[in-house]
Amino acid sequence: MEKQKTIKASVALLKVLESWGVKDVYGYPGGSINSLLDGLQIEQKNINFIQVRHEQVAALTASAHAKLTGKIGVAFGSAGPGAVNLLNGLYDAREDHAPVLALVGQVPNTAMNYDYFQEMPETPMFSDVACYDRIVMTPESLPHVVDEAIKAAYKNKGVAVVVIPNNFGYEQIPEQKYTSATLSDTKPTPQPVATDSEIDKFLTLVKSAKRPVFHVGRGIKDGGEKIVELSKKLQIPIIIDGLACGLLPTDYDGFLGTANRAASKAADEILSVSDLVIAVGGDFAFAHTYYASHPFKYVQVDNDQSMLGRHHTLDLGIWSDATKFVEKALERSTQVAETNFFKAAVADMQNWKEYLKHMKESSATPLLPGQVYNAINETADPDASFSIDVGDNIINTFRYLDLSKQNKWVISALFATMGSGIPGAIAAKRAYPDKQAWNIAGDGALAMVLQDLATIVKYKIPVINVVTSNNNLSFIQGEQEDAPMQIFGLDLQPIDFAKVANGFGIDAVTVTKANELKPAFEKATAAAKDGKPFLVEVKIGDQRGLPVEDLQLSIINGKLDESVSPNYLDDKPADVHYTPKELFKRYNGENLKTLPEFFDEYNVEL
């Protein structure tokens, strides 16, 4: 009888990853994960080990990979501190519903329960973040557990954790098939479809509404043009969640942009006066407070039944794929005559676009974010990938960055962890090597993961890094300005990021004037084309972006009234109250109009 061939358990594990299409594994070495590194050395021609400089970057990069591609991202860390450091990126994956596998080191099983160095019960640590959380019990089961973990991550669009006693990876186990992957099986997941009755109920609510609005999320996927068609047909303007940026054509006149704080003025105003909100394929995390501004009828369409009614009391919940709902609504609806409300919404957004154009073309010093993003729009490739770090750059991306379906882009959306910019750009360039990869981060965010500039140098990843620097946590300053407190704790010790980049072996420039922006970005794109990373430090001012979230609308005696929240600049003198026009002027918006002006101009019925 022929002797059974054997294979190291760690190699068998990696062959399972390979069978699922995994190309890159992100992690940082440690004593309790050495057997995995042994396997990576053996399998290095088939799978890549990307050594990052902090485990949170490994997990954030794996999460970004999953968000960008829809495919499993893989990260690892050693027992104890390595495991703890993974958590930040794993929570990012959980909150944004990204399939990620975390391989976590553990002391050898022969040393467990002896209070051994760095021994700790790790599965409880991951119980909240993970949809699958197991410790491997035998070397023979290691590849099987990893295979099960990957399936769980895909099924639940979440995090799967496998804790591996270090000695198991070295052990020889039977060489056989351990994977259940079927990469040739590319059938789309069956999606629920709205019934005729549900569509008719929806259309009845639309017919009775005076001021309906679509609030569209990323669940619309490839149906952006179709919901625009429905918007035109039913005369319903469209507002989007931030994650839907790029999925709808922004040149459509009924497109009002994003709502809440990282928002357009028109979107916030129109949502604040709507009497029917139709949420389509979204997960609006701010709904509990933002939707509470006034009463309205609420329709929600989602392909996940558990999401229906999650953020607001339902008048009609429809379990359906977003685009299939839109297609069926198009079939069963009739053309609505042009409405004054729709015309007023379009005019409001056009006025806002003119304001943004003014800000982008400004020659102001210190530099304004609009000037920076205008130069990026002029120099970035049309299909570039963008990783946007957390902070004011989220607001400015939603307002100024040109994004379309050609672009891949990623943010830490619901977990909103600073330091996600470099990991996202690494993931983007590894997944889409033929596309430019941009990392746009503030000085606070970049400093959190500055060490991983070394990673893009080591692996020759030509990321274009843009750091907007003003030595201040501006996003939090905007919150503190409207809170009952004095501004405190937000000033940052200056860092010369260009010099720091040079220390890592990255060419860099510092920009302080508008006429320096485009040449700097042209130099950066040329370096990236030549296969080299580059950094542009842009010195910007600390002026807050126009806080559209401080605008309040109400109907008083049959007339629409717009005011500024009394919380705006909370520490102002008690007798000071800003009008909307005064607010606009403070942020270079002298030509902005209020929504009541547009309602009067177009005779909108309340």
Side-chain angles (χ1 to χ4, degrees):
M1 183 175 179
E2 186 177 348
K3 186 178 180 181
Q4 170 76 57
K5 291 183 178 180
T6 62
I7 187 174
K8 282 188 175 181
S10 61
V11 175
L13 175 166
L14 293 170
K15 288 188 177 296
V16 169
L17 297 186
E18 293 161 18
S19 73
W20 283 97
V22 175
K23 302 296 183 186
D24 295 331
V25 176
Y26 300 93
Y28 194 78
S32 58
I33 201 72
N34 270 334
S35 65
L36 178 62
L37 288 158
D38 177 48
L40 286 165
Q41 183 273 323
I42 295 168
E43 281 293 290
Q44 61 185 299
K45 290 184 178 180
N46 301 316
I47 195 165
N48 302 307
F49 164 48
I50 307 298
Q51 178 209 75
V52 297
R53 301 302 286 269
H54 193 288
E55 290 90 351
Q56 77 156 335
V57 172
L60 285 168
T61 309
S63 176
H65 171 85
K67 286 186 270 189
L68 286 162
T69 67
K71 303 298 183 182
I72 191 86
V74 183
F76 71 82
S78 59
V84 172
N85 286 342
L86 287 170
L87 277 170
N88 195 51
L90 298 183
Y91 269 104
D92 175 69
R94 187 193 79 164
E95 291 300 292
D96 285 353
H97 310 295
V100 166
L101 171 66
L103 303 173
V104 180
Q106 180 56 284
V107 302
N109 74 317
T110 52
M112 292 173 68
N113 299 318
Y114 285 94
D115 292 325
Y116 196 75
F117 175 69
Q118 290 189 334
E119 179 195 358
M120 58 188 297
E122 291 175 321
T123 49
M125 181 199 316
F126 296 102
S127 62
D128 181 62
V129 75
C131 63
Y132 183 94
D133 184 18
R134 299 285 191 277
I135 182 168
V136 177
M137 303 304 291
T138 66
E140 291 79 10
S141 66
L142 174 54
H144 167 74
V145 174
V146 168
D147 188 61
E148 291 295 306
I150 293 172
K151 289 188 290 185
Y154 273 127
K155 177 182 177 181
N156 298 286
K157 296 181 179 178
V159 175
V161 174
V162 177
V163 178
I164 307 169
N166 188 42
N167 57 317
F168 284 179
Y170 296 119
E171 295 292 326
Q172 295 287 331
I173 64 174
E175 185 176 8
Q176 61 189 49
K177 182 180 179 182
Y178 291 98
T179 182
S180 60
T182 52
L183 294 182
S184 61
D185 188 350
T186 57
K187 296 189 299 293
T189 303
Q191 293 293 309
V193 181
T195 64
D196 291 352
S197 174
E198 287 172 327
I199 296 295
D200 292 344
K201 289 177 183 178
F202 156 70
L203 293 173
T204 298
L205 285 168
V206 170
K207 187 174 181 179
S208 63
K210 294 179 179 178
R211 299 177 301 279
V213 63
F214 281 122
H215 194 172
V216 179
R218 61 177 170 176
I220 196 65
K221 297 178 183 174
D222 293 328
E225 286 80 5
K226 290 180 180 178
I227 200 165
V228 164
E229 185 181 348
L230 186 62
S231 166
K232 293 176 181 177
K233 190 173 186 179
L234 299 180
Q235 289 289 284
I236 302 175
I238 298 173
I239 292 163
I240 63 168
D241 291 349
L243 289 175
C245 284
L247 299 180
L248 283 78
T250 57
D251 58 354
Y252 167 51
D253 57 5
F255 176 80
L256 306 186
T258 53
N260 195 36
R261 183 179 175 193
S264 79
K265 170 180 169 290
D268 272 10
E269 289 175 322
I270 292 299
L271 194 54
S272 294
V273 299
S274 60
D275 60 357
L276 174 63
V277 174
I278 307 135
V280 181
D283 184 11
F284 186 49
F286 300 96
H288 180 69
T289 53
Y290 194 73
Y291 278 178
S293 64
H294 71 292
F296 53 79
K297 297 284 188 182
Y298 184 61
V299 176
Q300 185 180 2
V301 181
D302 205 284
N303 66 353
D304 182 349
Q305 282 181 299
S306 69
M307 293 294 294
L308 296 175
R310 182 178 185 180
H311 293 308
H312 196 273
T313 303
L314 290 170
D315 291 282
L316 177 61
I318 301 176
W319 180 39
S320 176
D321 172 77
T323 300
K324 291 182 183 298
F325 161 79
V326 172
E327 290 171 342
K328 201 156 193 179
L330 282 167
E331 291 174 6
R332 297 187 66 81
S333 59
T334 56
Q335 180 66 50
V336 171
E338 191 175 38
T339 68
N340 291 340
F341 169 67
F342 188 86
K343 288 189 285 187
V346 168
D348 193 13
M349 186 60 185
Q350 183 57 40
N351 183 229
W352 176 251
K353 286 181 175 179
E354 291 167 359
Y355 168 71
L356 296 183
K357 184 174 185 290
H358 168 69
M359 298 297 283
K360 288 191 291 187
E361 295 178 352
S362 171
S363 58
T365 303
L367 289 169
L368 300 170
Q371 298 166 283
V372 180
Y373 280 80
N374 191 47
I376 292 173
N377 290 335
E378 290 178 346
T379 51
D381 287 346
D383 65 346
S385 300
F386 294 95
S387 178
I388 313 298
D389 217 320
V390 169
D392 266 1
N393 279 304
I394 297 292
I395 298 176
N396 296 321
T397 288
F398 291 171
R399 290 182 177 179
Y400 298 114
L401 186 62
D402 292 341
L403 290 173
S404 73
K405 291 173 72 173
Q406 291 187 77
N407 303 110
K408 293 290 184 179
W409 70 283
V410 65
I411 59 173
S412 176
L414 298 182
F415 193 55
T417 179
M418 294 170 70
S420 60
I422 286 179
I426 291 172
K429 194 62 181 177
R430 295 291 299 182
Y432 304 103
D434 295 331
K435 294 177 180 283
Q436 281 179 350
W438 293 69
N439 160 39
I440 304 177
D443 44 2
L446 183 62
M448 288 193 172
V449 290
L450 198 55
Q451 75 284 336
D452 272 277
L453 289 176
T455 303
I456 63 176
V457 172
K458 180 173 183 174
Y459 294 98
K460 298 178 175 59
I461 307 172
V463 171
I464 300 167
N465 299 279
V466 181
V467 52
T468 51
S469 176
N470 60 8
N471 308 320
N472 186 54
L473 294 174
S474 301
F475 189 88
I476 306 304
Q477 180 170 312
E479 295 177 341
Q480 289 192 3
E481 284 181 354
D482 293 356
M485 65 178 294
Q486 298 291 312
I487 304 299
F488 183 77
L490 307 183
D491 57 306
L492 299 174
Q493 175 65 27
I495 297 174
D496 189 331
F497 287 97
K499 282 188 177 179
V500 170
N502 290 158
F504 280 100
I506 298 173
D507 289 337
V509 296
T510 300
V511 172
T512 60
K513 299 176 183 177
N515 62 3
E516 298 171 346
L517 283 165
K518 191 172 180 181
F521 291 137
E522 287 174 342
K523 187 177 289 188
T525 56
K529 190 174 182 179
D530 198 33
K532 301 174 183 176
F534 199 90
L535 184 141
V536 180
E537 180 179 8
V538 184
K539 300 289 188 179
I540 62 170
D542 60 1
Q543 185 189 45
R544 182 180 182 181
L546 201 162
V548 295
E549 69 274 14
D550 280 318
L551 294 171
Q552 296 181 330
L553 289 117
S554 56
I555 298 174
I556 302 174
N557 298 324
K559 293 285 290 183
L560 184 63
D561 178 74
E562 188 162 17
S563 60
V564 177
S565 168
N567 294 330
Y568 172 64
L569 300 184
D570 189 81
D571 66 344
K572 62 186 179 294
D575 60 343
V576 174
H577 302 282
Y578 291 97
T579 67
K581 291 288 190 179
E582 289 169 336
L583 178 75
F584 300 157
K585 187 176 181 179
R586 287 175 63 85
Y587 300 94
N588 306 40
E590 291 86 352
N591 294 325
L592 285 170
K593 294 182 179 181
T594 64
L595 185 62
E597 289 179 89
F598 290 113
F599 271 34
D600 288 343
E601 181 179 347
Y602 290 95
N603 298 312
V604 177
E605 181 183 356
L606 297 174

